[in-house]
PDB file of all heavy atoms in Angstrom:
ATOM      1  N   ALA A1542      22.540 -53.875  55.347  1.00 96.00           N
ATOM      2  CA  ALA A1542      24.024 -53.964  55.266  1.00 96.00           C
ATOM      3  C   ALA A1542      24.534 -53.321  53.946  1.00 96.00           C
ATOM      4  O   ALA A1542      25.791 -53.185  53.835  1.00 96.00           O
ATOM      5  CB  ALA A1542      24.403 -55.458  55.295  1.00 96.00           C
ATOM      6  N   SER A1543      23.700 -53.013  53.063  1.00 97.00           N
ATOM      7  CA  SER A1543      24.111 -52.556  51.687  1.00 97.00           C
ATOM      8  C   SER A1543      24.347 -51.069  51.661  1.00 97.00           C
ATOM      9  O   SER A1543      23.845 -50.259  52.480  1.00 97.00           O
ATOM     10  CB  SER A1543      23.088 -52.968  50.716  1.00 97.00           C
ATOM     11  OG  SER A1543      23.136 -52.250  49.519  1.00 97.00           O
ATOM     12  N   ARG A1544      25.040 -50.599  50.653  1.00 98.00           N
ATOM     13  CA  ARG A1544      25.035 -49.204  50.276  1.00 98.00           C
ATOM     14  C   ARG A1544      23.697 -48.777  49.842  1.00 98.00           C
ATOM     15  O   ARG A1544      22.941 -49.596  49.354  1.00 98.00           O
ATOM     16  CB  ARG A1544      26.052 -49.064  49.079  1.00 98.00           C
ATOM     17  CG  ARG A1544      26.561 -47.689  48.798  1.00 98.00           C
ATOM     18  CD  ARG A1544      27.410 -47.706  47.567  1.00 98.00           C
ATOM     19  NE  ARG A1544      28.552 -48.620  47.571  1.00 98.00           N
ATOM     20  CZ  ARG A1544      29.686 -48.322  48.147  1.00 98.00           C
ATOM     21  NH1 ARG A1544      29.873 -47.219  48.784  1.00 98.00           N
ATOM     22  NH2 ARG A1544      30.654 -49.223  48.121  1.00 98.00           N
ATOM     23  N   ALA A1545      23.318 -47.501  50.078  1.00 98.00           N
ATOM     24  CA  ALA A1545      21.964 -47.080  49.777  1.00 98.00           C
ATOM     25  C   ALA A1545      21.670 -47.220  48.283  1.00 98.00           C
ATOM     26  O   ALA A1545      22.569 -47.007  47.420  1.00 98.00           O
ATOM     27  CB  ALA A1545      21.775 -45.653  50.196  1.00 98.00           C
ATOM     28  N   CYS A1546      20.409 -47.572  47.971  1.00 98.00           N
ATOM     29  CA  CYS A1546      19.998 -47.668  46.550  1.00 98.00           C
ATOM     30  C   CYS A1546      18.577 -47.088  46.443  1.00 98.00           C
ATOM     31  O   CYS A1546      17.606 -47.696  46.952  1.00 98.00           O
ATOM     32  CB  CYS A1546      20.042 -49.170  46.167  1.00 98.00           C
ATOM     33  SG  CYS A1546      19.389 -49.462  44.513  1.00 98.00           S
ATOM     34  N   PHE A1547      18.494 -45.863  45.968  1.00 98.00           N
ATOM     35  CA  PHE A1547      17.198 -45.160  45.988  1.00 98.00           C
ATOM     36  C   PHE A1547      16.423 -45.351  44.733  1.00 98.00           C
ATOM     37  O   PHE A1547      17.014 -45.364  43.627  1.00 98.00           O
ATOM     38  CB  PHE A1547      17.411 -43.654  46.154  1.00 98.00           C
ATOM     39  CG  PHE A1547      18.033 -43.282  47.533  1.00 98.00           C
ATOM     40  CD1 PHE A1547      19.304 -42.812  47.605  1.00 98.00           C
ATOM     41  CD2 PHE A1547      17.331 -43.486  48.673  1.00 98.00           C
ATOM     42  CE1 PHE A1547      19.902 -42.413  48.810  1.00 98.00           C
ATOM     43  CE2 PHE A1547      17.892 -43.133  49.930  1.00 98.00           C
ATOM     44  CZ  PHE A1547      19.171 -42.604  49.972  1.00 98.00           C
ATOM     45  N   VAL A1548      15.125 -45.434  44.836  1.00 98.00           N
ATOM     46  CA  VAL A1548      14.222 -45.289  43.749  1.00 98.00           C
ATOM     47  C   VAL A1548      13.556 -43.942  43.964  1.00 98.00           C
ATOM     48  O   VAL A1548      13.014 -43.655  45.037  1.00 98.00           O
ATOM     49  CB  VAL A1548      13.102 -46.391  43.749  1.00 98.00           C
ATOM     50  CG1 VAL A1548      12.086 -46.154  42.656  1.00 98.00           C
ATOM     51  CG2 VAL A1548      13.751 -47.750  43.597  1.00 98.00           C
ATOM     52  N   ILE A1549      13.665 -43.014  42.997  1.00 98.00           N
ATOM     53  CA  ILE A1549      13.188 -41.656  43.186  1.00 98.00           C
ATOM     54  C   ILE A1549      12.363 -41.212  41.948  1.00 98.00           C
ATOM     55  O   ILE A1549      12.937 -41.294  40.834  1.00 98.00           O
ATOM     56  CB  ILE A1549      14.314 -40.664  43.469  1.00 98.00           C
ATOM     57  CG1 ILE A1549      15.050 -41.048  44.733  1.00 98.00           C
ATOM     58  CG2 ILE A1549      13.765 -39.171  43.559  1.00 98.00           C
ATOM     59  CD1 ILE A1549      16.272 -40.226  45.105  1.00 98.00           C
ATOM     60  N   ALA A1550      11.155 -40.854  42.149  1.00 97.00           N
ATOM     61  CA  ALA A1550      10.333 -40.351  41.001  1.00 97.00           C
ATOM     62  C   ALA A1550      10.893 -39.058  40.551  1.00 97.00           C
ATOM     63  O   ALA A1550      10.930 -38.070  41.362  1.00 97.00           O
ATOM     64  CB  ALA A1550       8.893 -40.281  41.433  1.00 97.00           C
TER      65      ALA A1550
END
Side-chain angles (χ1 to χ4, degrees):
S1543 160
R1544 200 184 300 280
C1546 176
F1547 295 114
V1548 174
I1549 299 176

